[in-house]
């Protein structure tokens, strides 16, 4: 099969398209023919080991010292089950699935084997594989943190970084939970964030949300602390009594299969929609990583593998 291997930690150019043996599923695994994957910001952190010095050592110990031990990166997929291990019961050949796995990687390829009890679910049939691959990463992360913050109907929620993968999901999911949403993004994304259901949009290039008179029950940082630290330090000024500020970088989220199922159902009912920025092919993975490295993608960058 064709797959992109990460030859060492470094810039996008460390990624190389190679011919690898097609994996064979173990007893508890399904082999998925991947039709689309996503280049996530997490993929770029792993590839470039773009972490603080303390985390970098830990990451090398866990992931591999000079290069990832799991040479094929990629955490997100949409595709079709192609064969199954002897103990697999819930899935069978031909099932259309989408999923996320931040431990095993392997989705920058034509095939991958993942355990059937992982973050895998039936993909929404109204979406293409490219659209389905734009749901799991931002959707699961946003849902986890909105739940953790206890967002409920009638609350006022501000999403900082409303146009990224996590942000576009957070806007839509907070709306789905009944909250009134204010999104913060740059000028080019104001229309997008409005179209996702934000009642108000703050363009951070002309206005600092912490200077406004609005008060929020939740400020959710969907940018990540490296860039949002300054805003987070000042965000208590805009919190309503009892309000909270939560960052997508607050700890390691517990992502659940039932939430992936829920995201698939919401997408099937049109209550959330995937946001796709650019779509590349596997051959152009270096360009896709260069683009995501810029830190300003709109929603998701997708790789069409078919
Ligand atoms: N806790 C965890 O385990 C975990 C896991 C995965 C990811 N994360 C975190 O989640 C973050 C977001 O991921 P993502 O994939 O959604 O990122 P993304 O798609 O690259 O989105 C980044 C967003 O940040 C905005 N932005 C960039 N620079 C900014 C600045 N200086 N000020 C304000 N906004 C800025 C961009 O909007 P504009 O283009 O409009 O500026 C964009 O909407 C990651 O960076 C990472 O820190 C955490």
């Amino acid at each position: 099969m064709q797959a992109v291997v990460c030859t060492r930690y470094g810039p996008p150019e460390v990624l190389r398209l190679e011919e690898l043996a097609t994996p064979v599923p173990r007893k508890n695994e399904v082999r998925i023919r991947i039709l689309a994957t996503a280049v996530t910001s997490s993929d770029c952190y792993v590839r470039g080991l773009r972490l603080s010095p303390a985390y970098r050592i830990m990451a090398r110990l866990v992931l591999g010292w000079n290069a990832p031990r799991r040479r094929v990166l990629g955490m997100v997929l949409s595709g079709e089950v192609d064969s199954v291990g002897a103990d697999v019961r819930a899935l069978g050949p031909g099932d259309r699935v989408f999923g996320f796995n931040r431990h095993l990687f392997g989705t920058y390829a034509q095939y991958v084997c993942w355990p059937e009890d992982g973050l895998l679910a039936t993909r929404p049939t109204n979406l293409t594989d490219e659209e389905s691959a734009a749901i799991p990463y931002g959707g699961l992360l946003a849902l986890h943190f909105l739940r953790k913050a206890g967002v409920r109907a009638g609350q006022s929620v501000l999403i900082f970084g409303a146009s990224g993968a996590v942000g576009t999901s957070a806007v839509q999911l907070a709306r789905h939970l009944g909250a009134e949403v204010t999104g913060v993004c740059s000028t080019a994304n104001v229309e997008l964030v409005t179209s996702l259901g934000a009642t108000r949009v703050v363009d951070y290039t002309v206005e600092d949300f912490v200077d406004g008179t609005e008060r929020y029950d939740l400020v959710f940082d969907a940018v990540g602390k490296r860039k949002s630290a300054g805003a987070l330090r000042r965000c208590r000024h805009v919190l309503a009594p009892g309000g909270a500020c939560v960052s997508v970088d607050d700890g390691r989220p517990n992502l659940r299969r039932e939430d992936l199922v829920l995201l698939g159902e919401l997408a099937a009912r049109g209550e959330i929609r995937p946001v796709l920025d650019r779509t590349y092919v596997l051959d152009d993975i270096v360009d896709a990583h260069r683009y995501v490295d810029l830190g300003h993608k709109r929603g998701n960058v997708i790789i069409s593998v078919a």
Side-chain angles (χ1 to χ4, degrees):
M1 66 170 185
Q2 287 204 315
V4 172
V5 301
C6 182
T7 53
R8 61 181 171 85
Y9 298 116
E13 293 72 21
V14 301
L15 300 172
R16 199 170 57 208
L17 192 63
E18 284 189 9
E19 198 67 34
L20 298 184
T22 303
V24 177
R26 293 181 199 165
K27 278 184 177 178
N28 64 330
E29 288 181 339
V30 295
R31 182 169 71 194
I32 300 152
R33 185 164 76 92
I34 297 167
L35 296 167
T37 180
V39 176
T40 67
S41 45
S42 298
D43 297 355
C44 292
Y45 290 142
V46 172
R47 184 219 73 227
L49 219 59
R50 290 192 289 130
L51 303 163
S52 66
Y55 276 110
R56 211 173 298 146
I57 291 180
M58 214 156 65
R60 281 186 195 273
L61 289 169
V62 174
L63 298 172
W65 197 256
N66 294 315
R69 267 186 292 274
R70 295 186 182 280
R71 299 168 68 216
V72 181
L73 299 183
M75 305 179 186
V76 175
L77 63 76
S78 177
E80 183 177 309
V81 174
D82 156 82
S83 68
V84 301
D87 293 347
V88 170
R89 296 287 172 265
L91 290 169
D95 287 346
R96 309 302 296 262
V97 292
F98 70 150
F100 181 56
N101 194 316
R102 56 192 160 157
H103 304 294
L104 297 179
F105 306 143
T107 66
Y108 292 175
Q110 290 179 309
Y111 294 90
V112 73
C113 292
W114 279 358
E116 75 159 335
D117 61 356
L119 281 169
L120 269 180
T122 304
R123 81 157 174 80
T125 49
N126 58 323
L127 301 185
T128 63
D129 283 288
E130 285 75 12
E131 290 167 335
S132 300
I135 300 272
Y137 179 82
L140 287 168
L141 287 165
L143 198 50
H144 168 85
F145 285 104
L146 293 175
R147 282 243 186 78
K148 186 177 165 190
V151 171
R152 53 186 191 277
Q155 286 193 322
S156 179
V157 173
L158 179 134
I159 313 288
F160 185 60
S163 58
V166 178
T168 51
S169 294
V171 170
Q172 299 185 79
L173 290 166
R175 283 279 298 160
H176 169 74
L177 294 169
E180 174 135 324
V181 177
T182 298
V184 181
C185 61
S186 62
T187 316
N189 294 320
V190 169
E191 208 172 300
L192 166 71
V193 174
T194 306
S195 77
L196 296 175
T199 317
R200 222 170 65 83
V201 181
V202 177
D203 176 348
Y204 72 76
T205 67
V206 295
E207 190 186 340
D208 191 340
F209 76 88
V210 295
D211 294 335
T213 53
E214 299 282 330
R215 294 294 174 264
Y216 304 97
D217 299 299
L218 173 70
V219 171
F220 176 47
D221 160 38
V223 173
K225 285 181 177 172
R226 261 199 274 181
K227 292 178 186 167
S228 63
L232 290 183
R233 265 194 300 276
R234 294 174 292 126
C235 83
R236 62 191 160 80
H237 300 306
V238 294
L239 292 182
C245 185
V246 169
S247 171
V248 64
D249 280 336
D250 286 341
R252 198 156 167 74
N254 173 27
L255 306 179
R256 307 179 319 170
R257 188 178 168 277
E258 51 266 43
D259 285 343
L260 185 63
V261 173
L262 173 65
L263 290 166
E265 289 168 356
L266 292 177
R269 295 203 296 267
E271 290 186 41
I272 59 169
R273 68 171 167 93
V275 178
L276 277 72
D277 186 343
R278 297 184 181 183
T279 301
Y280 294 83
V281 292
L282 219 42
D283 246 340
D284 294 330
I285 194 85
V286 171
D287 288 338
H289 268 248
R290 283 186 189 130
Y291 182 61
V292 176
D293 269 0
L294 299 175
H296 290 283
K297 66 181 163 64
R298 287 156 62 92
N300 300 270
V301 168
I302 299 299
I303 305 290
S304 190
V305 184

